[in-house]
Amino acid sequence: MNATAAPDTGPGVTLMDDQGFDSAVLGRGLPPEVEALIAAAGLVRQDRAQAEPLLLRARALAPTHPATLIALYRFHFYGHRLREAREVARESLGIARAALLPAGHPDPVAADLPPISDEQARFDAAVRFYLFTLKGFAYLNLRLGDIEVGRAALQELRRLDPQDRVGGAVLAVVLARAEQAQSANGHEGNDSEDDYDGRARAQGRLPHRGWGNP
């Protein structure tokens, strides 16, 4: 995958050229057979036995194309199969990292991404795909009780998107609820969801927009 520098966006990760990942995120370059499989799965999405094999076949034919990953992620997420959705999100993060890091990087999954400019967070398709995927990964881990993994993902999202261009700051209340449930250690409490929201706001953790206080 080739990459070209884009000086007009300021310092940050390298942008993909028109034939690369950035283009694929916009839906380009998807083979017609794969597109047809995704469309067919959409028609029977309520029937997992029919839809899932179609989506898995689509991913096998285009394993690194964002469209196949997005389709499979949505299928599992809206089917309330959060663990399966999380695995797709994890795979998507690895693919997106490999696209955003310099070519030939030895360990794209574990590597820290270089700073992302605010312009990229607002407008670059590949960068936004990564940020939205990271947001989903953080949410799913918090929902599934893997609080440390979710917190780490949320911290990375805050580092890369300090202006909150993808709305990740709203997950602060999900983290607050998960931490409260963990501290309760399984004992029944009297807190309502409004209590969680109020506490998060009082701590500066649930702003209308943006990350608020640390």
Side-chain angles (χ1 to χ4, degrees):
M1 182 179 300
N2 296 323
T4 57
D8 59 315
T9 62
V13 300
T14 300
L15 298 178
M16 301 296 108
D17 64 20
D18 288 341
Q19 302 302 316
F21 190 74
D22 194 65
S23 179
V25 169
L26 297 175
R28 303 183 186 118
L30 192 64
E33 180 183 357
V34 177
E35 191 171 354
L37 286 167
I38 293 174
L43 296 175
V44 293
R45 61 183 176 275
Q46 301 302 328
D47 187 339
R48 184 179 183 182
Q50 292 188 64
E52 189 169 18
L54 296 171
L55 293 173
L56 292 177
R57 175 63 177 162
R59 186 177 64 170
L61 291 172
T64 62
H65 197 290
T68 63
L69 296 167
I70 291 170
L72 191 58
Y73 174 87
R74 288 176 174 171
F75 173 69
H76 286 312
F77 184 84
Y78 291 114
H80 306 290
R81 294 178 293 275
L82 300 189
R83 293 187 183 279
E84 290 88 341
R86 179 175 61 176
E87 290 311 304
V88 179
R90 192 192 309 275
E91 181 181 355
S92 300
L93 284 175
I95 292 170
R97 279 179 176 272
L100 295 174
L101 287 165
H105 196 284
D107 192 359
V109 174
D112 287 335
L113 290 179
I116 288 172
S117 71
D118 186 53
E119 189 80 1
Q120 289 172 307
R122 294 173 64 194
F123 300 116
D124 181 66
V127 168
R128 288 179 64 80
F129 175 80
Y130 179 78
L131 294 176
F132 274 112
T133 302
L134 186 60
K135 177 183 174 181
F137 184 70
Y139 171 77
L140 289 168
N141 276 285
L142 294 174
R143 280 287 309 274
L144 290 167
D146 291 327
I147 298 175
E148 293 305 317
V149 177
R151 183 187 292 112
L154 198 56
Q155 288 172 345
E156 182 183 5
L157 184 59
R158 180 171 185 166
R159 178 181 73 85
L160 294 173
D161 182 24
Q163 300 302 316
D164 194 28
R165 297 302 183 184
V166 300
V170 298
L171 293 183
V173 72
V174 183
L175 176 60
R177 291 171 183 167
E179 289 173 337
Q180 176 66 21
Q182 185 181 60
S183 65
N185 197 27
H187 296 294
E188 184 176 356
N190 296 319
D191 291 327
S192 68
E193 288 194 357
D194 287 339
D195 292 328
Y196 286 118
D197 293 354
R199 185 181 304 109
R201 288 192 182 93
Q203 296 171 350
R205 302 170 67 186
L206 187 60
H208 175 70
R209 184 74 179 182
W211 293 98
N213 298 324

Short mmCIF file of all heavy atoms in Angstrom, two decimals, residues 89-116:
data_model
loop_
_atom_site.label_atom_id
_atom_site.label_comp_id
_atom_site.label_asym_id
_atom_site.label_seq_id
_atom_site.Cartn_x
_atom_site.Cartn_y
_atom_site.Cartn_z
N ALA A 89 -14.05 -5.72 15.79
CA ALA A 89 -13.45 -4.41 16.06
C ALA A 89 -11.95 -4.55 16.31
O ALA A 89 -11.16 -3.73 15.82
CB ALA A 89 -14.12 -3.76 17.26
N ARG A 90 -11.55 -5.59 17.04
CA ARG A 90 -10.13 -5.81 17.31
C ARG A 90 -9.36 -6.05 16.01
O ARG A 90 -8.28 -5.49 15.79
CB ARG A 90 -9.97 -7.01 18.24
CG ARG A 90 -8.56 -7.16 18.82
CD ARG A 90 -8.39 -8.51 19.49
NE ARG A 90 -9.43 -8.81 20.44
CZ ARG A 90 -9.45 -8.42 21.71
NH1 ARG A 90 -8.45 -7.69 22.17
NH2 ARG A 90 -10.44 -8.76 22.51
N GLU A 91 -9.94 -6.86 15.14
CA GLU A 91 -9.31 -7.13 13.85
C GLU A 91 -9.23 -5.85 13.02
O GLU A 91 -8.21 -5.58 12.36
CB GLU A 91 -10.10 -8.21 13.11
CG GLU A 91 -9.52 -8.58 11.76
CD GLU A 91 -10.34 -9.64 11.04
OE1 GLU A 91 -11.31 -10.15 11.64
OE2 GLU A 91 -10.01 -9.94 9.88
N SER A 92 -10.29 -5.06 13.04
CA SER A 92 -10.33 -3.82 12.27
C SER A 92 -9.27 -2.84 12.76
O SER A 92 -8.65 -2.13 11.95
CB SER A 92 -11.72 -3.18 12.36
OG SER A 92 -12.71 -4.05 11.86
N LEU A 93 -9.05 -2.77 14.07
CA LEU A 93 -8.03 -1.88 14.61
C LEU A 93 -6.64 -2.26 14.09
O LEU A 93 -5.84 -1.39 13.74
CB LEU A 93 -8.05 -1.93 16.14
CG LEU A 93 -9.17 -1.18 16.83
CD1 LEU A 93 -9.11 -1.42 18.34
CD2 LEU A 93 -9.10 0.32 16.54
N GLY A 94 -6.36 -3.56 14.05
CA GLY A 94 -5.07 -4.00 13.56
C GLY A 94 -4.86 -3.62 12.10
O GLY A 94 -3.77 -3.17 11.71
N ILE A 95 -5.88 -3.79 11.29
CA ILE A 95 -5.79 -3.46 9.87
C ILE A 95 -5.64 -1.95 9.69
O ILE A 95 -4.83 -1.48 8.88
CB ILE A 95 -7.02 -3.99 9.13
CG1 ILE A 95 -6.98 -5.53 9.10
CG2 ILE A 95 -7.10 -3.43 7.71
CD1 ILE A 95 -8.26 -6.17 8.60
N ALA A 96 -6.41 -1.17 10.46
CA ALA A 96 -6.32 0.28 10.34
C ALA A 96 -4.97 0.80 10.81
O ALA A 96 -4.40 1.71 10.21
CB ALA A 96 -7.45 0.93 11.13
N ARG A 97 -4.44 0.23 11.90
CA ARG A 97 -3.13 0.64 12.38
C ARG A 97 -2.06 0.39 11.32
O ARG A 97 -1.18 1.22 11.07
CB ARG A 97 -2.77 -0.11 13.65
CG ARG A 97 -3.38 0.44 14.92
CD ARG A 97 -2.97 -0.41 16.11
NE ARG A 97 -3.48 0.16 17.35
CZ ARG A 97 -2.83 1.07 18.06
NH1 ARG A 97 -1.66 1.52 17.64
NH2 ARG A 97 -3.36 1.54 19.17
N ALA A 98 -2.13 -0.80 10.69
CA ALA A 98 -1.15 -1.13 9.66
C ALA A 98 -1.21 -0.14 8.51
O ALA A 98 -0.19 0.17 7.89
CB ALA A 98 -1.38 -2.55 9.16
N ALA A 99 -2.40 0.37 8.21
CA ALA A 99 -2.56 1.33 7.12
C ALA A 99 -2.05 2.71 7.50
O ALA A 99 -1.55 3.44 6.64
CB ALA A 99 -4.03 1.41 6.71
N LEU A 100 -2.14 3.07 8.77
CA LEU A 100 -1.78 4.41 9.20
C LEU A 100 -0.32 4.54 9.63
O LEU A 100 0.21 5.65 9.67
CB LEU A 100 -2.68 4.86 10.35
CG LEU A 100 -4.16 5.03 10.00
CD1 LEU A 100 -4.98 5.34 11.24
CD2 LEU A 100 -4.35 6.12 8.96
N LEU A 101 0.31 3.41 9.94
CA LEU A 101 1.72 3.44 10.29
C LEU A 101 2.58 3.39 9.03
O LEU A 101 2.11 3.00 7.96
CB LEU A 101 2.05 2.26 11.21
CG LEU A 101 1.54 2.37 12.64
CD1 LEU A 101 1.61 1.02 13.33
CD2 LEU A 101 2.37 3.40 13.42
N PRO A 102 3.84 3.77 9.14
CA PRO A 102 4.73 3.67 7.98
C PRO A 102 4.79 2.25 7.44
O PRO A 102 4.70 1.27 8.19
CB PRO A 102 6.09 4.10 8.56
CG PRO A 102 5.75 4.96 9.73
CD PRO A 102 4.49 4.38 10.31
N ALA A 103 4.92 2.13 6.14
CA ALA A 103 4.96 0.81 5.50
C ALA A 103 6.09 -0.04 6.07
O ALA A 103 7.19 0.45 6.33
CB ALA A 103 5.14 0.97 3.99
N GLY A 104 5.79 -1.32 6.30
CA GLY A 104 6.80 -2.23 6.79
C GLY A 104 7.03 -2.20 8.29
O GLY A 104 8.00 -2.79 8.78
N HIS A 105 6.17 -1.53 9.03
CA HIS A 105 6.34 -1.49 10.49
C HIS A 105 6.25 -2.90 11.06
O HIS A 105 5.33 -3.66 10.72
CB HIS A 105 5.27 -0.59 11.12
CG HIS A 105 5.59 -0.20 12.52
ND1 HIS A 105 5.44 -1.06 13.58
CD2 HIS A 105 6.07 0.96 13.05
CE1 HIS A 105 5.80 -0.45 14.70
NE2 HIS A 105 6.18 0.78 14.40
N PRO A 106 7.18 -3.29 11.95
CA PRO A 106 7.23 -4.69 12.39
C PRO A 106 6.07 -5.13 13.27
O PRO A 106 5.75 -6.31 13.31
CB PRO A 106 8.55 -4.76 13.17
CG PRO A 106 8.82 -3.34 13.60
CD PRO A 106 8.28 -2.49 12.48
N ASP A 107 5.42 -4.21 14.00
CA ASP A 107 4.37 -4.61 14.92
C ASP A 107 3.27 -3.56 14.95
O ASP A 107 3.13 -2.81 15.91
CB ASP A 107 4.94 -4.82 16.33
CG ASP A 107 3.96 -5.52 17.26
OD1 ASP A 107 2.83 -5.82 16.82
OD2 ASP A 107 4.31 -5.76 18.42
N PRO A 108 2.43 -3.51 13.89
CA PRO A 108 1.41 -2.45 13.83
C PRO A 108 0.34 -2.55 14.89
O PRO A 108 -0.29 -1.56 15.25
CB PRO A 108 0.81 -2.63 12.43
CG PRO A 108 1.12 -4.04 12.06
CD PRO A 108 2.43 -4.36 12.71
N VAL A 109 0.10 -3.74 15.43
CA VAL A 109 -0.96 -3.89 16.43
C VAL A 109 -0.56 -3.23 17.74
O VAL A 109 -1.36 -2.55 18.39
CB VAL A 109 -1.30 -5.37 16.64
CG1 VAL A 109 -2.29 -5.55 17.78
CG2 VAL A 109 -1.85 -5.98 15.36
N ALA A 110 0.69 -3.40 18.15
CA ALA A 110 1.13 -2.88 19.44
C ALA A 110 1.69 -1.47 19.37
O ALA A 110 1.82 -0.81 20.39
CB ALA A 110 2.20 -3.82 20.02
N ALA A 111 2.00 -1.01 18.18
CA ALA A 111 2.67 0.30 18.06
C ALA A 111 1.73 1.44 18.40
O ALA A 111 0.52 1.37 18.17
CB ALA A 111 3.19 0.47 16.63
N ASP A 112 2.31 2.49 18.96
CA ASP A 112 1.56 3.73 19.17
C ASP A 112 1.50 4.51 17.86
O ASP A 112 2.53 4.64 17.17
CB ASP A 112 2.23 4.60 20.23
CG ASP A 112 2.04 4.04 21.63
OD1 ASP A 112 1.06 3.31 21.84
OD2 ASP A 112 2.89 4.33 22.49
N LEU A 113 0.34 5.00 17.52
CA LEU A 113 0.23 5.84 16.34
C LEU A 113 0.86 7.20 16.61
O LEU A 113 0.82 7.70 17.73
CB LEU A 113 -1.24 6.03 15.95
CG LEU A 113 -1.97 4.82 15.39
CD1 LEU A 113 -3.41 5.19 15.09
CD2 LEU A 113 -1.30 4.30 14.14
N PRO A 114 1.44 7.81 15.59
CA PRO A 114 1.94 9.18 15.76
C PRO A 114 0.77 10.13 15.95
O PRO A 114 -0.39 9.76 15.75
CB PRO A 114 2.67 9.45 14.44
CG PRO A 114 2.05 8.52 13.47
CD PRO A 114 1.67 7.29 14.23
N PRO A 115 1.04 11.36 16.37
CA PRO A 115 -0.05 12.32 16.58
C PRO A 115 -0.92 12.49 15.35
O PRO A 115 -0.45 12.44 14.22
CB PRO A 115 0.68 13.62 16.92
CG PRO A 115 2.01 13.17 17.45
CD PRO A 115 2.36 11.94 16.68
N ILE A 116 -2.20 12.66 15.58
CA ILE A 116 -3.17 12.90 14.52
C ILE A 116 -3.58 14.37 14.59
O ILE A 116 -3.91 14.87 15.66
CB ILE A 116 -4.39 11.98 14.69
CG1 ILE A 116 -4.01 10.53 14.35
CG2 ILE A 116 -5.57 12.45 13.84
CD1 ILE A 116 -5.10 9.53 14.68
#
